[in-house]
Amino acid sequence: MINFLDLKAINKRDEKDLQIAFKKVLESGWYIQGEFLKNFEDEYAEFCGTKYCIGVANGLDALILTLKAWLELGYIKSGDEVIVPANTYIATILAISANNLKPVLVEPDEKTFNLSLEEIKKNFSKKTKVIIPVHLYGQLCEMEKIIAFAKQENILVLEDSAQAHGAIEDGIKAGAWGNASAFSFYPGKNLGALGDAGAITTNDKNLKEILETLRNYGSNIKYKNEYKGLNSRLDELQAAFLSIKLKRLEEDNICRRQIAKRYSSEIKNNLIQIYTHEQENHVYHLYVVRTKYRQQLMNFLNRHEIQTLIHYPIPPYEQNAYKELRNIKMPTTSQIHREILSLPISPVMKQDEVEKVIKACNSFNIR
């Protein structure tokens, strides 16, 4: 079986260094907010091209805390509207509602699956105070246009970069375009920890300082709490692991792009819709195709011992958690969620496995 993602094989490459890091953290006797966290924050800020990186417990908290910090700073207020793509993972929406803000769901671009300036303008109002471009599947949104519009309207941009570690366009990486950016280091990400982990990048010193307080129960002096904060700290062990794995990220992204290039050029089946993207602005966290025969294709590939996944089968507005959004009509998003399928892609895939996926896709037919 070709696994969709072989995490064991991915982490095996760094086994010795990870064991050394574990021993160093263990022997340090300091496991929360220490030197390993500080080192990783500095390294990741430099990697992204920002002044600051603030480690937190996970990607959802990175989104929640950034919006909460902007509320505390008075940049936004309760009830403000946040434009967000309707086809994102539910975490993006959860962060908005958790801060008593109003999510304004908009249709994605059908060619990129991403938020477009055209759709932003259609849904923009005087109440719009934040835009969250989600770099879905690893591809940057059209950030130059979005940033220019946001500056013109004096609104904030929070990048959801959970799937786009290292994606770059015009020399600017994911995490350095907006006023802030949220990252997830969930184990399956291009830069994945060995557990939950996340971070926020920004050039705003005031935001950085309040985030460091909010992630620590709203306290920067022990037992003195300035805000109603959270316990959301990137621990020393995961920070140490991430520092090691960061060294491989660019190389791994190149490998993903090479596999994606082969899929895009060699899968030739009219029943499977392939998307060709610019290489640099996409790090292919996922390689997604569309087909009207999704279940049949999944079953066919499974019989050929190829594991596929759906990202995501149910859009947020159709979830029970968001019954209040059930009345909205999103025909493009609904169709996308019915047709998308993710093929295996990872830096440890062998060439014969890539060839097997291509051959199987090309031999798929409906009788």
Side-chain angles (χ1 to χ4, degrees):
M1 174 67 77
I2 298 176
N3 293 322
F4 180 77
L5 185 66
D6 190 343
L7 285 178
K8 187 175 180 179
I10 287 172
N11 291 316
K12 187 75 174 175
R13 301 174 301 168
D14 295 311
E15 182 176 11
K16 180 183 277 188
D17 288 338
L18 292 170
Q19 288 176 340
I20 291 170
F22 173 79
K23 188 175 181 181
K24 286 181 178 179
V25 174
L26 180 66
E27 291 178 349
S28 75
W30 193 282
Y31 309 122
I32 298 289
Q33 297 200 129
E35 286 303 310
F36 290 98
L37 172 62
K38 180 66 168 59
N39 289 341
F40 173 70
E41 288 176 330
D42 290 345
E43 291 164 358
Y44 199 64
E46 182 179 0
F47 174 83
C48 291
T50 59
K51 291 181 181 178
Y52 311 112
C53 170
I54 305 93
V56 295
N58 53 68
L60 174 56
D61 282 2
L63 291 163
I64 289 174
L65 285 165
T66 303
L67 293 171
K68 185 175 179 62
W70 283 343
L71 285 164
E72 295 287 357
L73 287 165
Y75 294 178
I76 57 177
K77 65 181 185 303
S78 178
D80 281 346
E81 292 182 353
V82 180
I83 289 179
V84 62
N87 63 321
T88 186
Y89 182 56
I90 197 170
T92 320
I93 316 296
L94 289 171
I96 298 168
S97 56
N99 281 288
N100 199 29
L101 300 166
K102 182 181 177 182
V104 177
L105 276 60
V106 305
E107 295 272 44
D109 179 271
E110 282 205 72
K111 292 183 179 178
T112 65
F113 304 111
N114 274 344
L115 188 64
S116 68
L117 179 59
E118 181 181 359
E119 286 297 323
I120 290 171
K121 287 182 175 180
K122 284 182 186 177
N123 293 273
F124 182 78
S125 77
K126 291 181 179 179
K127 295 181 179 179
T128 304
K129 298 301 176 185
V130 181
I131 299 171
I132 302 185
V134 180
H135 305 315
L136 202 63
Y137 309 146
Q139 183 178 22
L140 283 174
C141 297
E142 48 184 28
M143 292 307 296
E144 189 172 350
K145 293 179 181 178
I146 292 172
I147 294 298
F149 177 78
K151 286 181 178 178
Q152 173 188 311
E153 300 295 337
N154 194 29
I155 53 179
L156 296 163
V157 175
L158 169 56
E159 294 175 77
D160 185 336
S161 301
Q163 300 182 0
H165 316 75
I168 186 169
E169 188 166 315
D170 296 330
I172 303 174
K173 285 181 179 172
W177 285 93
N179 301 92
S181 180
F183 286 90
S184 166
F185 304 121
Y186 180 79
K189 303 297 186 184
N190 290 32
L191 178 60
L194 273 67
D196 272 322
I200 301 148
T201 54
T202 186
N203 291 318
D204 184 338
K205 186 178 181 181
N206 291 332
L207 178 61
K208 177 250 189 187
E209 290 174 352
I210 196 169
L211 283 168
E212 288 178 335
T213 304
L214 285 172
R215 73 178 175 184
N216 187 44
Y217 300 98
S219 170
N220 53 27
I221 299 174
K222 197 167 185 179
Y223 303 128
K224 186 175 180 181
N225 301 79
E226 300 296 329
Y227 307 101
K228 297 173 184 175
L230 301 177
N231 174 16
S232 182
R233 301 171 299 202
L234 174 57
D235 67 69
E236 288 289 276
L237 189 59
Q238 297 302 337
F241 290 162
L242 286 166
S243 286
I244 290 165
K245 299 186 74 178
L246 179 59
K247 296 171 186 176
R248 280 191 185 270
L249 180 56
E250 296 280 36
E251 178 185 340
D252 282 357
N253 285 344
I254 290 171
C255 183
R256 287 174 177 273
R257 289 180 179 124
Q258 289 172 342
I259 295 169
K261 188 175 182 179
R262 288 202 62 188
Y263 282 166
S264 295
S265 62
E266 296 179 40
I267 296 177
K268 299 180 185 297
N269 187 327
N270 292 333
L271 301 177
I272 303 172
Q273 192 171 354
I274 299 295
Y275 294 86
T276 303
H277 305 289
E278 292 179 37
Q279 285 286 301
E280 285 299 308
N281 74 358
H282 205 320
V283 291
Y284 293 96
H285 171 61
L286 300 171
Y287 188 93
V288 177
V289 299
R290 284 179 69 175
T291 176
K292 296 183 183 300
Y293 308 98
R294 180 170 68 189
Q295 193 58 56
Q296 293 97 316
L297 179 58
M298 287 186 75
N299 294 342
F300 179 83
L301 293 175
N302 187 59
R303 289 197 297 273
H304 284 75
E305 298 190 321
I306 298 168
Q307 183 187 23
T308 57
L309 295 176
I310 302 170
H311 298 87
Y312 305 97
I314 307 172
Y317 56 87
E318 291 181 3
Q319 301 282 1
N320 285 335
Y322 283 102
K323 293 176 183 176
E324 68 272 21
L325 299 177
R326 284 282 175 87
N327 291 329
I328 67 172
K329 303 297 181 185
M330 294 281 160
T332 299
T333 298
S334 293
Q335 186 173 0
I336 285 172
H337 281 265
R338 289 193 300 269
E339 297 180 353
I340 51 174
L341 185 67
S342 300
L343 301 181
I345 188 166
S346 84
V348 296
M349 275 189 80
K350 299 173 183 176
Q351 286 303 309
D352 63 325
E353 292 177 323
V354 177
E355 288 168 8
K356 184 176 179 179
V357 173
I358 294 167
K359 184 177 179 180
C361 286
N362 284 335
S363 63
F364 172 68
N365 61 75
I366 298 295
R367 295 178 182 175

